Coordinates of all heavy atoms in Angstrom, one line a residue:
L121 N 105.0 96.6 82.6 CA 105.2 97.0 84.0 C 105.1 98.6 84.0 O 105.8 99.2 83.2 CB 106.5 96.5 84.6 CG 106.8 97.0 86.0 CD1 105.9 96.5 87.0 CD2 108.2 96.7 86.3
F122 N 104.3 99.1 84.9 CA 104.3 100.5 85.2 C 104.3 100.7 86.7 O 103.6 99.9 87.4 CB 103.0 101.1 84.6 CG 102.7 102.5 85.0 CD1 103.4 103.6 84.5 CD2 101.7 102.8 86.0 CE1 103.2 104.9 85.0 CE2 101.5 104.1 86.4 CZ 102.2 105.1 85.9
C123 N 105.1 101.6 87.2 CA 105.1 101.8 88.6 C 105.4 103.2 89.0 O 105.8 104.0 88.2 CB 106.2 100.9 89.3 SG 107.9 101.2 88.7
F124 N 105.0 103.6 90.2 CA 105.2 104.9 90.7 C 105.2 104.9 92.2 O 104.8 103.9 92.9 CB 104.1 105.9 90.2 CG 102.7 105.6 90.7 CD1 102.3 106.2 91.9 CD2 101.9 104.8 90.0 CE1 101.0 105.9 92.4 CE2 100.6 104.5 90.5 CZ 100.2 105.1 91.7
R125 N 105.8 105.9 92.8 CA 105.8 106.1 94.3 C 104.9 107.2 94.6 O 104.8 108.2 93.9 CB 107.2 106.4 94.8 CG 108.2 105.2 94.7 CD 109.4 105.5 95.6 NE 110.1 104.2 95.7 CZ 109.9 103.3 96.6 NH1 108.9 103.4 97.4 NH2 110.5 102.1 96.6
W126 N 104.2 107.0 95.8 CA 103.3 108.0 96.2 C 103.2 108.0 97.7 O 103.8 107.2 98.4 CB 102.0 107.9 95.5 CG 101.1 106.8 96.0 CD1 101.5 105.5 96.3 CD2 99.7 106.8 96.1 NE1 100.4 104.7 96.6 CE2 99.3 105.5 96.5 CE3 98.7 107.8 96.0 CZ2 97.9 105.2 96.8 CZ3 97.4 107.4 96.2 CH2 97.0 106.2 96.6
A127 N 102.4 108.9 98.3 CA 102.1 109.0 99.7 C 103.4 109.4 100.5 O 103.6 108.9 101.6 CB 101.5 107.7 100.3
Y128 N 104.2 110.3 99.9 CA 105.3 110.8 100.7 C 105.1 112.2 101.1 O 104.2 112.9 100.6 CB 106.6 110.7 99.8 CG 106.5 111.3 98.4 CD1 106.9 112.6 98.2 CD2 106.1 110.5 97.3 CE1 106.8 113.2 96.9 CE2 106.0 111.1 96.1 CZ 106.3 112.4 95.9 OH 106.2 112.9 94.6
P129 N 105.8 112.6 102.1 CA 105.6 114.0 102.7 C 105.7 115.1 101.7 O 106.6 115.0 100.8 CB 106.6 114.1 103.8 CG 106.9 112.6 104.2 CD 106.8 111.9 102.9
D130 N 104.9 116.1 101.8 CA 105.1 117.3 101.0 C 106.5 117.9 101.1 O 107.0 117.9 102.2 CB 104.0 118.4 101.4 CG 102.6 118.0 101.0 OD1 102.4 117.2 100.1 OD2 101.7 118.6 101.6
G131 N 107.0 118.3 100.0 CA 108.3 118.9 100.0 C 109.5 118.0 100.0 O 110.6 118.4 100.0
E132 N 109.2 116.7 100.0 CA 110.3 115.7 100.0 C 110.3 114.9 98.7 O 109.2 114.8 98.1 CB 110.1 114.7 101.2 CG 110.4 115.3 102.5 CD 110.4 114.3 103.7 OE1 110.7 113.1 103.4 OE2 110.1 114.6 104.8
Q133 N 111.4 114.4 98.4 CA 111.5 113.4 97.2 C 111.0 112.1 97.7 O 111.3 111.7 98.9 CB 113.0 113.3 96.7 CG 113.5 114.6 96.1 CD 112.8 114.8 94.7 OE1 112.5 113.9 94.0 NE2 112.6 116.1 94.4
A134 N 110.4 111.3 96.8 CA 110.0 109.9 97.2 C 111.2 109.0 97.3 O 112.1 109.1 96.5 CB 109.1 109.4 96.1
R135 N 111.3 108.3 98.4 CA 112.3 107.4 98.7 C 111.7 106.1 99.2 O 110.5 106.0 99.6 CB 113.3 107.9 99.7 CG 114.0 109.2 99.4 CD 114.9 109.6 100.5 NE 114.4 109.5 101.9 CZ 113.7 110.5 102.5 NH1 113.6 111.7 102.0 NH2 113.3 110.3 103.7
E136 N 112.5 105.0 99.3 CA 112.0 103.7 99.8 C 111.5 103.9 101.2 O 110.6 103.1 101.6 CB 113.1 102.7 99.7 CG 113.3 102.2 98.4 CD 114.3 101.0 98.3 OE1 114.5 100.3 99.4 OE2 114.9 100.8 97.3
D137 N 112.1 104.8 102.0 CA 111.7 104.8 103.4 C 110.6 105.9 103.8 O 110.3 106.0 104.9 CB 113.0 105.1 104.3 CG 113.6 106.5 104.0 OD1 113.3 107.1 102.9 OD2 114.3 107.0 104.9
N138 N 110.1 106.6 102.7 CA 109.1 107.6 103.0 C 107.9 107.5 102.1 O 107.0 108.4 102.1 CB 109.7 109.0 103.0 CG 109.9 109.5 101.6 OD1 109.9 108.8 100.6 ND2 110.2 110.8 101.5
S139 N 107.8 106.4 101.3 CA 106.7 106.4 100.3 C 106.3 105.0 100.0 O 106.9 104.0 100.4 CB 107.2 107.0 99.0 OG 108.2 106.3 98.4
L140 N 105.2 104.8 99.3 CA 104.7 103.5 98.9 C 105.0 103.3 97.4 O 105.0 104.3 96.6 CB 103.2 103.4 99.1 CG 102.7 103.6 100.5 CD1 101.2 103.7 100.6 CD2 103.3 102.6 101.4
L141 N 105.3 102.1 97.0 CA 105.6 101.8 95.6 C 104.4 101.0 95.1 O 104.0 100.0 95.7 CB 106.8 100.9 95.5 CG 107.2 100.5 94.1 CD1 107.5 101.6 93.1 CD2 108.4 99.5 94.1
V142 N 103.8 101.5 94.0 CA 102.7 100.8 93.4 C 103.2 100.3 92.0 O 103.7 101.1 91.2 CB 101.4 101.7 93.2 CG1 100.3 101.0 92.5 CG2 101.0 102.3 94.5
E143 N 103.0 99.0 91.8 CA 103.4 98.4 90.5 C 102.2 97.7 89.8 O 101.4 97.0 90.5 CB 104.4 97.3 90.8 CG 105.7 97.8 91.4 CD 106.7 96.7 91.7 OE1 106.4 95.9 92.7 OE2 107.6 96.5 91.0
F144 N 102.0 98.0 88.6 CA 101.0 97.5 87.7 C 101.7 96.6 86.7 O 102.5 97.0 85.9 CB 100.2 98.5 87.0 CG 99.5 99.5 87.9 CD1 100.2 100.7 88.3 CD2 98.2 99.3 88.2 CE1 99.6 101.6 89.1 CE2 97.6 100.3 89.1 CZ 98.2 101.4 89.5
T145 N 101.3 95.3 86.7 CA 101.9 94.4 85.7 C 100.8 93.8 84.9 O 99.8 93.3 85.4 CB 102.6 93.2 86.5 OG1 103.6 93.8 87.3 CG2 103.3 92.3 85.5
L146 N 101.0 93.8 83.5 CA 100.0 93.2 82.6 C 100.6 91.9 82.1 O 101.8 91.9 81.6 CB 99.7 94.2 81.4 CG 99.1 95.5 81.8 CD1 99.0 96.4 80.6 CD2 97.7 95.3 82.4
T147 N 99.9 90.9 82.1 CA 100.4 89.5 81.7 C 99.3 88.9 80.8 O 98.1 88.9 81.1 CB 100.6 88.6 82.9 OG1 101.4 89.3 83.8 CG2 101.2 87.3 82.5
R148 N 99.7 88.4 79.6 CA 98.8 87.7 78.7 C 98.3 86.5 79.4 O 99.1 85.7 80.0 CB 99.5 87.3 77.4 CG 98.6 86.7 76.4 CD 99.3 86.2 75.2 NE 100.1 87.4 74.7 CZ 100.2 87.7 73.4 NH1 99.7 86.9 72.5 NH2 101.0 88.7 73.1
E149 N 97.0 86.2 79.4 CA 96.4 85.1 80.0 C 95.3 84.6 79.0 O 94.2 85.1 79.0 CB 95.9 85.4 81.4 CG 95.4 84.2 82.1 CD 95.2 84.5 83.6 OE1 96.1 84.7 84.3 OE2 94.0 84.5 83.9
G150 N 95.6 83.5 78.3 CA 94.6 83.0 77.3 C 94.4 84.0 76.3 O 95.3 84.6 75.7
T151 N 93.1 84.4 76.1 CA 92.8 85.4 75.1 C 92.6 86.8 75.8 O 92.2 87.7 75.1 CB 91.4 85.1 74.4 OG1 90.4 85.0 75.4 CG2 91.5 83.7 73.7
G152 N 93.0 86.9 77.0 CA 92.8 88.1 77.8 C 94.1 88.6 78.4 O 95.2 88.1 78.0
T153 N 94.0 89.5 79.3 CA 95.1 90.1 80.0 C 94.8 90.2 81.5 O 93.7 90.6 81.9 CB 95.4 91.5 79.4 OG1 95.6 91.5 78.0 CG2 96.6 92.1 80.1
R154 N 95.8 89.8 82.3 CA 95.7 89.8 83.7 C 96.4 91.1 84.2 O 97.6 91.3 83.9 CB 96.2 88.6 84.4 CG 96.2 88.7 86.0 CD 96.6 87.5 86.6 NE 95.7 86.4 86.4 CZ 94.6 86.1 87.1 NH1 94.3 86.9 88.1 NH2 93.9 85.1 86.7
L155 N 95.8 91.9 85.0 CA 96.4 93.0 85.7 C 96.7 92.6 87.1 O 95.8 92.2 87.8 CB 95.5 94.2 85.6 CG 95.9 95.4 86.5 CD1 97.2 96.0 86.1 CD2 94.8 96.5 86.5
T156 N 97.9 92.8 87.5 CA 98.3 92.5 88.9 C 98.8 93.9 89.5 O 99.6 94.5 88.9 CB 99.5 91.5 89.0 OG1 99.0 90.3 88.4 CG2 99.8 91.2 90.4
V157 N 98.2 94.3 90.6 CA 98.6 95.5 91.3 C 99.2 95.1 92.6 O 98.6 94.4 93.4 CB 97.4 96.4 91.5 CG1 97.8 97.7 92.2 CG2 96.7 96.7 90.1
T158 N 100.4 95.7 92.9 CA 101.1 95.4 94.1 C 101.5 96.8 94.7 O 102.1 97.6 94.0 CB 102.4 94.6 93.9 OG1 102.0 93.4 93.2 CG2 103.0 94.2 95.2
E159 N 101.2 97.0 96.0 CA 101.6 98.2 96.7 C 102.4 97.8 97.9 O 102.0 97.0 98.7 CB 100.3 99.0 97.1 CG 100.7 100.3 97.7 CD 99.4 101.1 98.1 OE1 98.4 100.5 98.4 OE2 99.5 102.3 98.0
T160 N 103.6 98.3 97.9 CA 104.5 97.9 99.0 C 105.1 99.1 99.7 O 105.1 100.2 99.1 CB 105.7 97.0 98.5 OG1 106.4 97.8 97.4 CG2 105.2 95.7 97.9
G161 N 105.7 98.9 100.8 CA 106.4 100.0 101.5 C 105.8 100.4 102.8 O 106.3 101.4 103.5
F162 N 104.7 99.8 103.2 CA 104.0 100.2 104.4 C 104.9 100.1 105.6 O 104.9 101.0 106.5 CB 102.7 99.4 104.6 CG 101.7 99.7 103.6 CD1 101.6 99.0 102.4 CD2 100.8 100.7 103.8 CE1 100.6 99.3 101.5 CE2 99.8 101.0 102.9 CZ 99.7 100.3 101.7
A163 N 105.7 99.0 105.7 CA 106.5 98.8 106.9 C 107.6 99.9 107.1 O 108.0 100.2 108.2 CB 107.1 97.4 106.9
A164 N 108.0 100.5 106.0 CA 109.1 101.5 106.1 C 108.6 102.9 106.4 O 109.4 103.8 106.5 CB 109.9 101.5 104.7
L165 N 107.3 103.1 106.5 CA 106.8 104.5 106.7 C 107.0 105.1 108.0 O 106.8 106.2 108.3 CB 105.3 104.5 106.3 CG 105.0 104.3 104.9 CD1 103.5 104.4 104.7 CD2 105.7 105.3 104.0
G166 N 107.4 104.3 109.0 CA 107.7 104.8 110.3 C 106.5 105.2 111.1 O 106.6 106.1 111.9
M167 N 105.4 104.6 110.9 CA 104.2 104.8 111.6 C 104.1 103.8 112.8 O 104.6 102.7 112.7 CB 102.9 104.6 110.8 CG 102.8 105.5 109.6 SD 101.3 105.0 108.7 CE 101.1 106.4 107.6
P168 N 103.3 104.2 113.8 CA 103.0 103.2 114.8 C 102.2 102.1 114.2 O 101.5 102.3 113.2 CB 102.2 103.9 115.9 CG 102.5 105.4 115.6 CD 102.8 105.5 114.2
E169 N 102.4 100.8 114.7 CA 101.8 99.7 114.1 C 100.3 99.8 113.9 O 99.7 99.5 112.8 CB 102.1 98.4 114.9 CG 101.4 97.1 114.4 CD 101.9 96.8 112.9 OE1 103.0 97.1 112.6 OE2 101.0 96.3 112.2
Q170 N 99.6 100.3 114.9 CA 98.1 100.5 114.8 C 97.7 101.5 113.6 O 96.8 101.2 112.8 CB 97.5 101.0 116.1 CG 96.0 101.2 116.1 CD 95.5 101.6 117.4 OE1 96.3 101.7 118.4 NE2 94.3 101.9 117.5
D171 N 98.5 102.6 113.5 CA 98.2 103.5 112.4 C 98.5 102.9 111.0 O 97.8 103.1 110.1 CB 99.0 104.8 112.6 CG 98.6 105.6 113.8 OD1 97.5 105.3 114.3 OD2 99.4 106.4 114.2
R172 N 99.7 102.2 111.0 CA 100.1 101.5 109.7 C 99.0 100.5 109.3 O 98.7 100.4 108.1 CB 101.4 100.9 109.9 CG 102.0 100.3 108.6 CD 103.4 99.9 108.6 NE 103.8 99.1 109.8 CZ 104.6 99.5 110.7 NH1 105.2 100.6 110.6 NH2 104.9 98.7 111.7
A173 N 98.5 99.7 110.2 CA 97.5 98.7 109.9 C 96.2 99.4 109.3 O 95.6 98.9 108.4 CB 97.2 97.9 111.1
A174 N 95.8 100.5 109.9 CA 94.6 101.2 109.5 C 94.9 101.8 108.1 O 94.1 101.8 107.2 CB 94.2 102.3 110.4
Y175 N 96.1 102.3 107.9 CA 96.5 102.9 106.6 C 96.5 101.8 105.5 O 96.0 102.1 104.4 CB 97.9 103.5 106.8 CG 98.3 104.5 105.7 CD1 97.6 105.6 105.4 CD2 99.5 104.3 105.0 CE1 98.0 106.5 104.4 CE2 100.0 105.1 104.0 CZ 99.2 106.2 103.7 OH 99.7 107.1 102.8
Y176 N 97.0 100.7 105.8 CA 97.0 99.5 104.9 C 95.6 99.2 104.5 O 95.3 99.0 103.4 CB 97.7 98.4 105.5 CG 97.7 97.1 104.6 CD1 98.7 97.0 103.6 CD2 96.7 96.2 104.8 CE1 98.6 95.9 102.8 CE2 96.7 95.1 103.9 CZ 97.6 94.9 103.0 OH 97.6 93.8 102.1
R177 N 94.7 99.0 105.5 CA 93.3 98.7 105.3 C 92.6 99.7 104.4 O 91.9 99.3 103.4 CB 92.5 98.5 106.6 CG 92.8 97.2 107.3 CD 91.8 97.0 108.5 NE 91.8 98.1 109.4 CZ 92.6 98.2 110.4 NH1 93.6 97.3 110.6 NH2 92.5 99.2 111.3
D178 N 92.9 101.0 104.6 CA 92.3 102.0 103.8 C 92.8 101.9 102.3 O 92.0 102.0 101.4 CB 92.7 103.4 104.3 CG 92.0 103.8 105.5 OD1 91.0 103.2 105.9 OD2 92.5 104.8 106.2
H179 N 94.0 101.6 102.1 CA 94.6 101.4 100.8 C 94.0 100.2 100.1 O 93.6 100.2 98.9 CB 96.1 101.4 100.8 CG 96.7 102.8 100.9 ND1 97.5 103.3 99.9 CD2 96.5 103.7 101.9 CE1 97.8 104.5 100.3 NE2 97.3 104.8 101.5
D180 N 93.9 99.1 100.9 CA 93.4 97.8 100.4 C 92.0 98.0 99.9 O 91.6 97.6 98.8 CB 93.5 96.7 101.5 CG 93.2 95.4 101.0 OD1 93.7 95.0 99.9 OD2 92.5 94.6 101.7
T181 N 91.2 98.7 100.7 CA 89.8 98.9 100.3 C 89.7 99.9 99.1 O 88.9 99.7 98.2 CB 89.0 99.5 101.5 OG1 89.1 98.7 102.6 CG2 87.6 99.8 101.2
G182 N 90.6 100.9 99.1 CA 90.6 101.8 98.0 C 90.9 101.1 96.7 O 90.3 101.4 95.6
W183 N 91.9 100.2 96.7 CA 92.3 99.5 95.5 C 91.2 98.6 95.0 O 90.9 98.5 93.8 CB 93.6 98.7 95.6 CG 94.8 99.6 95.6 CD1 95.7 99.8 96.6 CD2 95.2 100.4 94.5 NE1 96.7 100.7 96.2 CE2 96.4 101.1 94.9 CE3 94.8 100.6 93.2 CZ2 97.1 101.9 94.0 CZ3 95.4 101.5 92.3 CH2 96.6 102.1 92.8
D184 N 90.5 98.0 95.9 CA 89.3 97.2 95.6 C 88.3 98.0 94.8 O 87.8 97.6 93.7 CB 88.6 96.6 96.8 CG 89.4 95.5 97.4 OD1 90.3 94.9 96.8 OD2 89.1 95.1 98.6
A185 N 88.0 99.2 95.2 CA 87.1 100.1 94.6 C 87.6 100.6 93.2 O 86.8 100.6 92.2 CB 86.7 101.3 95.5
H186 N 88.8 101.0 93.2 CA 89.4 101.5 91.9 C 89.5 100.4 90.9 O 89.2 100.7 89.7 CB 90.7 102.2 92.1 CG 90.7 103.5 92.9 ND1 90.0 104.6 92.5 CD2 91.2 103.8 94.1 CE1 90.1 105.5 93.3 NE2 90.8 105.1 94.3
L187 N 89.9 99.2 91.3 CA 90.0 98.2 90.3 C 88.7 97.7 89.8 O 88.5 97.3 88.7 CB 90.9 97.0 90.9 CG 92.3 97.4 91.1 CD1 93.1 96.3 91.8 CD2 93.0 97.8 89.8
A188 N 87.7 97.7 90.7 CA 86.3 97.4 90.2 C 85.8 98.4 89.2 O 85.2 98.0 88.2 CB 85.4 97.3 91.4
S189 N 86.1 99.7 89.4 CA 85.8 100.7 88.4 C 86.5 100.4 87.1 O 85.9 100.6 86.0 CB 86.1 102.1 88.9 OG 85.3 102.4 90.0
L190 N 87.8 100.1 87.2 CA 88.6 99.8 86.0 C 88.0 98.6 85.2 O 87.9 98.6 84.0 CB 90.0 99.6 86.3 CG 90.9 99.2 85.2 CD1 90.9 100.4 84.1 CD2 92.3 98.9 85.7
Q191 N 87.6 97.6 86.0 CA 87.1 96.4 85.4 C 85.7 96.7 84.6 O 85.5 96.3 83.5 CB 86.8 95.3 86.4 CG 86.3 94.0 85.8 CD 86.2 92.9 86.9 OE1 86.1 93.2 88.1 NE2 86.2 91.7 86.5
N192 N 84.9 97.5 85.3 CA 83.7 98.0 84.6 C 83.9 98.8 83.4 O 83.3 98.6 82.3 CB 82.8 98.8 85.6 CG 82.2 97.9 86.7 OD1 82.0 96.7 86.5 ND2 82.0 98.5 87.8
Y193 N 84.9 99.7 83.4 CA 85.3 100.5 82.3 C 85.7 99.6 81.1 O 85.3 99.8 80.0 CB 86.4 101.5 82.7 CG 86.9 102.2 81.5 CD1 86.2 103.3 81.0 CD2 88.1 101.8 80.9 CE1 86.7 104.0 79.9 CE2 88.6 102.5 79.8 CZ 87.9 103.6 79.3 OH 88.3 104.3 78.2
V194 N 86.6 98.7 81.4 CA 87.1 97.8 80.3 C 86.0 96.9 79.7 O 85.9 96.8 78.5 CB 88.3 96.9 80.9 CG1 88.6 95.8 79.9 CG2 89.5 97.7 81.2
A195 N 85.1 96.4 80.6 CA 84.0 95.6 80.1 C 83.1 96.4 79.1 O 82.6 95.9 78.1 CB 83.2 95.1 81.2
R196 N 83.0 97.7 79.3 CA 82.1 98.6 78.4 C 82.8 98.8 77.1 O 82.2 99.2 76.1 CB 81.8 99.9 79.1 CG 80.8 99.8 80.3 CD 80.3 101.1 80.7 NE 81.3 102.1 81.0 CZ 81.9 102.3 82.2 NH1 81.6 101.5 83.2 NH2 82.8 103.2 82.4
Q197 N 84.2 98.7 77.1 CA 84.9 99.0 75.9 C 85.0 97.8 74.9 O 85.3 98.0 73.7 CB 86.4 99.4 76.2 CG 86.5 100.6 77.2 CD 85.7 101.8 76.7 OE1 85.8 102.2 75.6 NE2 84.8 102.3 77.6
I198 N 84.7 96.6 75.4 CA 84.8 95.4 74.6 C 83.5 95.3 73.7 O 82.5 95.5 74.0 CB 84.9 94.2 75.5 CG1 86.3 94.3 76.2 CG2 84.9 92.9 74.7 CD1 86.5 93.2 77.2

């Protein structure tokens, strides 16, 4: 398990109510490894619902792109 908080205001410490928590979990699966990525904390950011929904969609799309890049990288290493 590896995790970090991000997307908090400049000059502030990351807290549950002002940041997002990203968790990466590696689990053995057969002869391979499964990576699970979870990002939480959107509801606590204090944004209007419409802005929060757009922010969530941006992150969801971003993780799709980053994880596809990671998958391609790993495939080249094997």
Side-chain angles (χ1 to χ4, degrees):
L121 173 68
F122 169 74
C123 61
F124 65 90
R125 288 196 168 276
W126 74 320
Y128 51 92
D130 288 340
E132 292 187 24
Q133 293 288 327
R135 301 182 312 268
E136 285 185 21
D137 65 341
N138 75 347
S139 64
L140 301 174
L141 177 65
V142 180
E143 298 177 287
F144 300 87
T145 305
L146 298 172
T147 308
R148 183 183 310 221
E149 189 169 286
T151 60
T153 303
R154 175 176 296 274
L155 169 64
T156 304
V157 179
T158 307
E159 185 175 30
T160 58
F162 290 92
L165 292 180
M167 296 177 170
E169 179 58 34
Q170 182 177 354
D171 294 344
R172 185 171 46 245
Y175 195 57
Y176 177 87
R177 283 191 304 275
D178 287 346
H179 281 241
D180 189 42
T181 303
W183 283 116
D184 286 344
H186 290 300
L187 293 174
S189 294
L190 179 60
Q191 185 176 20
N192 291 332
Y193 173 80
V194 170
R196 290 190 310 270
Q197 303 308 309
I198 296 176

